[in-house]
Amino acid sequence: MRSQRAGGPDMYLGIDLGTQSVKALLYDADRRCVEAVHAAPLDMTSSDDGTREQHADDWLEALQGCLGQFTPAQRSGVRALAVAGQQHGFVPLDAAGDVLAPVKLWCDTATTAQCAEITAAFGGARQCIEAVGNPILPGYTAPKIRWLKQRHPDPYRRLHTVLLPHDYLNFYLTGERVMECGDASGTGLLDIRKRAWHAGMLRAVDPERDLSECLPPLVPPGAMIGSLLPQAASELGLRAGLPVSAGGGDNMLAAIGTGTVSPGRIAVSLGTSGTLFASSDTPVVDSEGILAAFCSSTDGWLPLVCSMNCTVATELTRALLGTGLASLDARLAQSPPGAQGVLTLPFFNGERTPNLPRARGCIVGLQANNYSADNLLRSALEGAMYGLRMGLERLTQLGGAAHHIRLTGGGAASAVWRQVVADVFNLPVSVQVVDEGAALGAALQALWMHQHSGHPGMPLAALLDEHLETDPARGCEPGAEAVEAYHQAFAEYQRHVQALTPLYAA
């Protein structure tokens, strides 16, 4: 462990560029605790056609706002930093580094037609999975590139570099245009087995242009990609020249922040989207395309399932019913597991798991004796978990082991939600003392990068074991009666998904 400096403790800055906000976290490596966390909100442009966009300039303004909330003494203690970011977003840059168009986000489903075109050009979904490990899905970056070509040909002609959201913050910080394989594997363009861009997939996206010229070089996980530029340092109140680590996608950095870096560990993140992911030493490619076959940001692989509607479902329902956040758990507890037969299919933003990008939210099973606000609230929460359970069952079928779940994200603050996760998945649930997911993972990656330079060969897993601690008071075990109730409710969910699929299938 690095000793405390005379001028103050060593601080490591983790930045998480999310959908709803930018978060900045300062981690005190000497005291092994979070010194401070600040966030700044983000807006999103939405349209009925599935468009979900943000402006990259808003990210920079939010980042500057976050850093401005730290004290000068806190900022002066920063020794290194790293960025986590929402996956799949398409940030098109011209040669000068200017952003050419609004950023289409991970939850954008307006590119369904482009997904079908790319898939057909490559020979079909099965061929895509065999070649790169993943099908081409709405939300991934590849169809966004084709969409820009078709809808905005002038900016597309000036396209010089394809970046992802966290890459763009890295570019602002260092001037370097690079990617790392974890986040890059969510583009649909990376062969996740070889960790290299797939030439055939690039041709399927645009047969008239060599898109490899627009893709940045891939850097090793946790590598130092550059130093903090003087202009960015001035705007953020940091010291110029600070080392900047490669960072990664929010799920990859959440894996670091939850210690999910060794085989057999499972994590569930409850945010705007819901994700379930595991660590693997070998690629886990799903021939059915339910699991995303991603690389990790730790030189391994991160099989993952994503639901596009998680806290989205609970927040929309809570707002509709006028339920305050402080009273949510009490209201949820008034409804039994299974919500007395009320079933929400929370496909408010379309859905990835199951793959129904054109779907809409549905509430079924309503009767005169179960139509209550408490049941609607609980059903929204439970429905958000069933898609992730589909993913866990598929992971188990493919040989993955699940012994317990490490829970993270905003939903983990709810005692009822923690118990629902334990019961729906029939697994023990643990939560960390410091539960800051991707932002903490970014800070710990920066710490590892900084210490690794002086201690070659230091395993990341060993460092995480030193710095991550679970909170026994917030852990929970599955209950037999609730497990059985959710077994039946999940079967009902699957039956309704099957019935609704022809209505919403692409």
Side-chain angles (χ1 to χ4, degrees), residues 144-415:
K144 296 177 172 67
I145 298 171
R146 188 177 179 92
W147 182 93
L148 184 69
K149 176 187 178 182
Q150 294 175 347
R151 299 296 184 89
H152 300 284
D154 289 339
Y156 183 76
R157 276 193 289 271
R158 292 187 284 129
L159 176 65
H160 183 274
T161 310
V162 173
L163 292 182
L164 301 168
H166 111 266
D167 303 323
Y168 180 71
L169 288 194
N170 278 346
F171 173 65
Y172 163 74
L173 295 170
T174 67
E176 299 293 332
R177 307 184 194 205
V178 296
M179 281 193 194
E180 58 81 45
C181 291
D183 210 4
S185 57
T187 62
L189 304 172
L190 189 81
D191 180 340
I192 61 98
R193 300 177 184 87
K194 298 179 179 179
R195 283 181 160 83
W197 302 117
H198 193 282
M201 189 60 73
L202 296 179
R203 286 193 297 272
V205 174
D206 186 350
E208 301 170 350
R209 180 176 185 177
D210 184 3
L211 282 175
S212 66
E213 297 176 351
C214 300
L215 291 168
L218 296 163
V219 297
M224 176 180 168
I225 62 166
S227 301
L228 188 61
L229 294 171
Q231 180 175 340
S234 175
E235 293 171 349
L236 299 175
L238 298 172
R239 176 174 56 83
L242 288 174
V244 179
S245 184
D250 53 0
N251 293 304
M252 290 74 197
L253 275 292
I256 294 175
T258 56
T260 313
V261 297
S262 302
R265 299 190 178 188
I266 303 284
V268 170
S269 177
L270 306 177
T272 306
S273 64
T275 54
L276 180 146
F277 49 85
S279 177
S280 176
D281 288 338
T282 57
V284 180
V285 176
D286 181 3
S287 61
E288 296 182 8
I290 296 173
L291 286 179
F294 290 164
C295 300
S296 71
S297 293
T298 57
D299 242 354
W301 284 267
L302 195 78
L304 177 147
V305 61
C306 176
S307 163
M308 297 180 76
N309 302 272
C310 188
T311 58
V312 169
T314 56
E315 288 301 288
L316 285 172
T317 307
R318 189 174 64 81
L320 177 67
L321 299 174
T323 302
L325 192 59
S327 63
L328 180 59
D329 267 18
R331 296 291 301 273
L332 291 169
Q334 297 301 310
S335 174
Q340 294 185 313
V342 179
L343 175 64
T344 297
L345 284 75
F347 307 152
F348 299 103
N349 290 324
E351 191 48 83
R352 182 182 298 174
T353 308
N355 183 24
L356 295 170
R358 294 177 176 169
R360 297 293 182 263
C362 306
I363 303 175
V364 299
L366 293 171
Q367 301 178 46
N369 64 351
N370 68 8
Y371 186 36
S372 71
D374 294 341
N375 284 339
L376 290 173
L377 284 166
R378 188 176 188 101
S379 175
L381 186 157
E382 293 171 344
M385 292 299 93
Y386 295 145
L388 296 182
R389 176 166 166 174
M390 288 176 63
L392 179 60
E393 293 196 348
R394 184 59 179 159
L395 178 63
T396 303
Q397 291 170 2
L398 294 174
H403 306 296
H404 79 278
I405 288 176
R406 181 67 54 84
L407 199 60
T408 186
S414 163

Side-chain angles (χ1 to χ4, degrees), residues 43-64:
D43 292 326
M44 179 172 63
T45 300
S46 301
S47 300
D48 290 342
D49 66 352
T51 295
R52 303 289 187 272
E53 295 176 344
Q54 288 176 335
H55 292 280
D57 285 347
D58 292 343
W59 299 344
L60 303 185
E61 183 178 343
L63 176 60
Q64 292 159 12

